[in-house]
């Protein structure tokens, strides 16, 4: 197949699903398909021009049998600014339009959302070339902007949601990464599009790093108990509230925080100013470092801001479970993360109104700890890489052949 895949974040970006998006493109190319990736220059999660090449030039090159095309975009200095985020989205859409003359001959197009600019370009591409478009919804942008406080005014939220939903309905087939998100998308569908469940997975290179380390199932928590947060730090995580509540307790623990993103400076400043030896802050970890940190920790912490609803499920939960780490999660009970925690029970789950009880849980003997570790390993098996990519490949072939796809 000749496939066009449109995404904002791509190798060497990490966080925000970039590792999974890249892994799928490379895997499809390795299987003999002709894959073209249209993406931004690397900038995430640091929100900075990591290559030093971001600009007007379109950079085309091949890597791992895939054709990569890099398009410049405006990178916000303040990712939580609504105006800057709108310019960011619009700049990527306008930049991608330069690739439109090279749009003929594809059998199918896949576009990843959270960036609406990407979805808008895919809509134009479909209008011009009549090629079937698969919309892969990782995040509902309008919901996420409202939940993160980026879009505060009600009329702005309604306008963004209206634009998002109209663009979504230009696509031929939809998919998403959690049952909660599938239910949310059914409400938005106006054309009875097929909506496929296609979860994310543990990308191959990180999986290889985790596999190098011995199993830790059965290893009891240390003294002090060890906590790890590693990944993107933005408004959606509300991590500062979590660590400030923990700091107010007299619990004994060691909490390593590694990450980058729009909220990272706030966390770094708080850790430095608090002088609380229980907390340390470090940069975003590479895959080998992430695997080692997961192996060393007792609890892998994942927080999701209240009100996020069905907007996203953290991809970092999958490597956390694959490492055999107990997951300590804070979220709404009805969110994808909350539902995953209740169904799989890979560790203790807390609502935001239960934050005061986290320290008590850490201070008590963890009678269920080994069960949580084993549950995490078992659940990670549901995100098997080859099986999920097989599903993508089969559905893409059906989409290319018939113009639609089914489960």
């Amino acid at each position: 197949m000749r496939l066009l895949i449109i995404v904002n974040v791509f190798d060497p970006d990490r966080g925000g699903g970039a590792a999974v998006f890249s892994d799928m493109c490379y895997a499809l190319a390795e299987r003999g398909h002709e894959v073209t990736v249209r993406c931004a220059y690397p900038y995430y999660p640091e929100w900075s021009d990591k290559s030093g090449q971001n600009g007007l030039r379109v950079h085309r090159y091949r890597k791992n049998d895939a054709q990569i095309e890099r398009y410049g975009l405006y990178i916000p200095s303040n990712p939580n600014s609504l105006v800057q985020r709108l310019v960011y989205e619009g700049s990527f859409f306008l930049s991608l339009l330069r690739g439109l003359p090279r749009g003929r001959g594809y059998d199918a197009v896949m576009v990843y959302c959270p960036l609406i600019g990407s979805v808008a370009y895919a809509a134009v591409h479909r209008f011009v070339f009549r090629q079937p478009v698969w919309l892969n919804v990782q995040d509902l942008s309008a919901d996420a902007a409202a939940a993160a406080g980026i879009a505060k005014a009600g009329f702005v939220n309604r306008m963004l949601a209206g634009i998002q939903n109209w663009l979504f309905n230009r696509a031929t087939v939809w998919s998403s990464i959690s049952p909660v998100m599938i239910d949310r998308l059914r409400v938005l569908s106006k054309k009875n599009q097929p909506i496929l469940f296609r979860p994310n997975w543990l990308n191959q290179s990180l999986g290889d790093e985790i596999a190098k380390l011995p199993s830790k199932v059965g290893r009891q928590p240390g003294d002090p108990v060890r906590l790890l947060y590693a990944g993107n730090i933005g408004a959606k995580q509300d991590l500062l509230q979590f660590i400030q509540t923990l700091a107010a307790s007299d619990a004994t623990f060691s909490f390593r925080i590694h990450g980058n993103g729009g909220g990272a400076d706030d966390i770094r400043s708080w850790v430095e100013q608090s002088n609380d030896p229980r907390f340390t802050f470090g940069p975003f970890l590479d895959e080998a470092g992430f695997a080692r940190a997961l192996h060393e920790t007792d609890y892998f912490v994942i927080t999701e801001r209240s009100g996020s609803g069905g907007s996203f499920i953290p991809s970092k939960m999958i490597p956390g479970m694959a490492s055999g780490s107990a997951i300590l999660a804070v979220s709404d009970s009805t969110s994808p993360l909350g539902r995953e925690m209740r169904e799989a029970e890979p560790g203790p789950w807390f609502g935001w109104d239960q934050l005061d009880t986290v320290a008590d849980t850490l201070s008590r003997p963890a009678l269920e700890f080994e069960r949580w570790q084993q549950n995490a390993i078992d659940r990670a098996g549901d995100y098997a890489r080859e099986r999920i990519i097989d599903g993508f490949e089969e559905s893409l072939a059906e989409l290319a052949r018939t113009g639609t796809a089914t489960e």
Side-chain angles (χ1 to χ4, degrees), residues 43 47 54 72-78 83-89 91-92:
Y43 70 96
W47 293 97
N54 185 52
L73 82 173
Y74 168 75
I75 302 173
S77 59
N78 177 11
V83 172
Q84 292 190 35
R85 289 296 283 260
L86 291 175
V87 175
Y88 158 68
E89 295 267 6
S91 70
F92 193 47

Side-chain angles (χ1 to χ4, degrees), residues 43-90:
Y43 70 96
Y44 197 81
E46 296 86 353
W47 293 97
S48 64
D49 178 13
K50 294 189 286 189
S51 67
Q53 297 179 300
N54 185 52
L56 294 177
R57 176 173 173 263
V58 179
H59 180 40
R60 297 181 175 91
Y61 61 98
R62 294 193 71 82
K63 183 175 180 180
N64 296 347
D65 298 323
Q67 176 68 26
I68 315 299
E69 298 181 1
R70 299 275 185 184
Y71 292 80
L73 82 173
Y74 168 75
I75 302 173
S77 59
N78 177 11
N80 295 321
S81 162
L82 176 62
V83 172
Q84 292 190 35
R85 289 296 283 260
L86 291 175
V87 175
Y88 158 68
E89 295 267 6

Side-chain angles (χ1 to χ4, degrees), residues 372-391:
W372 289 336
Q373 292 172 320
Q374 189 59 56
N375 286 349
I377 291 286
D378 292 344
R379 187 63 160 194
D382 292 344
Y383 300 96
R385 176 182 183 270
E386 292 299 322
R387 176 178 55 79
I388 296 172
I389 294 176
D390 285 347

Side-chain angles (χ1 to χ4, degrees), residues 10 37 60 65-66 77 81 107 115 144 155 157 160 169-170 197 208 238 333 339 341 355 389 395 397:
F10 194 78
V37 182
R60 297 181 175 91
D65 298 323
S77 59
S81 162
D107 298 308
L115 217 61
F155 80 92
N157 293 333
L160 294 177
N169 278 284
R170 302 311 101 193
F197 173 49
D208 290 344
D238 213 0
S333 63
R339 179 167 169 175
M341 290 297 297
L355 276 188
I389 294 176
S395 295

Side-chain angles (χ1 to χ4, degrees), residues 155-370:
F155 80 92
V156 173
N157 293 333
R158 290 191 294 273
M159 178 187 69
L160 294 177
I163 294 171
Q164 168 194 273
N165 299 345
W166 187 86
L167 289 171
F168 276 16
N169 278 284
R170 302 311 101 193
T172 317
V173 172
W174 296 0
S175 69
S176 196
I177 56 178
S178 75
V180 175
M181 187 82 87
I182 296 294
D183 292 341
R184 180 77 176 87
L185 289 176
R186 287 196 178 101
V187 178
L188 306 182
S189 174
K190 304 299 182 185
K191 297 186 176 181
N192 199 32
Q193 297 94 336
I195 306 178
L196 314 180
F197 173 49
R198 293 290 183 272
N200 287 338
W201 60 91
L202 179 62
N203 64 290
Q204 185 169 27
S205 55
L206 179 54
D208 290 344
E209 293 293 342
I210 291 173
K212 293 176 183 178
L213 301 170
S215 172
K216 65 178 187 177
V217 175
R219 189 187 76 191
Q220 290 301 298
D223 184 13
V225 63
R226 294 159 296 192
L227 308 177
L228 171 68
Y229 180 96
N232 184 49
I233 303 174
K236 289 189 295 186
Q237 286 73 37
D238 213 0
L239 182 61
L240 185 59
Q241 181 184 354
F242 176 76
I243 64 175
Q244 287 176 331
T245 302
L246 267 189
S249 74
D250 57 3
T252 302
F253 56 84
S254 172
F255 194 170
R256 291 177 61 186
I257 303 167
H258 288 270
N260 215 317
D265 287 342
D266 292 338
I267 302 296
R268 182 188 299 106
S269 297
W270 183 91
V271 170
E272 292 172 353
Q273 294 169 13
S274 71
N275 291 318
D276 189 330
R278 297 174 294 179
F279 297 89
T280 59
F281 183 89
F284 204 94
L285 295 166
D286 62 18
E287 289 189 338
F290 185 28
R292 288 193 301 271
L294 284 170
H295 183 72
E296 293 164 3
T297 198
D298 300 316
Y299 291 96
F300 184 49
V301 175
I302 302 177
T303 59
E304 176 188 83
R305 182 172 181 156
S306 181
S308 293
S311 65
F312 74 113
I313 184 169
S315 295
K316 59 180 171 283
M317 187 177 190
I318 301 171
M321 293 189 298
S323 72
S325 300
I327 308 297
L328 192 161
V330 184
S331 71
D332 292 339
S333 63
T334 56
S335 74
L337 175 58
R339 179 167 169 175
E340 184 80 359
M341 290 297 297
R342 294 197 315 277
E343 289 181 356
E345 297 184 353
W349 170 84
F350 303 88
W352 284 100
D353 59 349
Q354 300 171 308
L355 276 188
D356 291 339
T357 67
V358 175
D360 293 337
T361 299
L362 296 177
S363 300
R364 294 195 303 267
L367 301 179
E368 297 184 278
F369 196 72
E370 185 172 352

Side-chain angles (χ1 to χ4, degrees), residues 1 3 23-35 62 64-66 201 204 384-397:
M1 291 179 288
L3 304 173
D23 195 39
M24 190 185 73
C25 294
Y26 293 147
L28 290 171
E30 184 181 11
R31 293 177 180 209
H33 304 295
E34 189 175 332
V35 176
R62 294 193 71 82
N64 296 347
D65 298 323
W201 60 91
Q204 185 169 27
R385 176 182 183 270
E386 292 299 322
R387 176 178 55 79
I388 296 172
I389 294 176
D390 285 347
F392 272 102
E393 184 179 31
E394 291 166 5
S395 295
L396 280 166

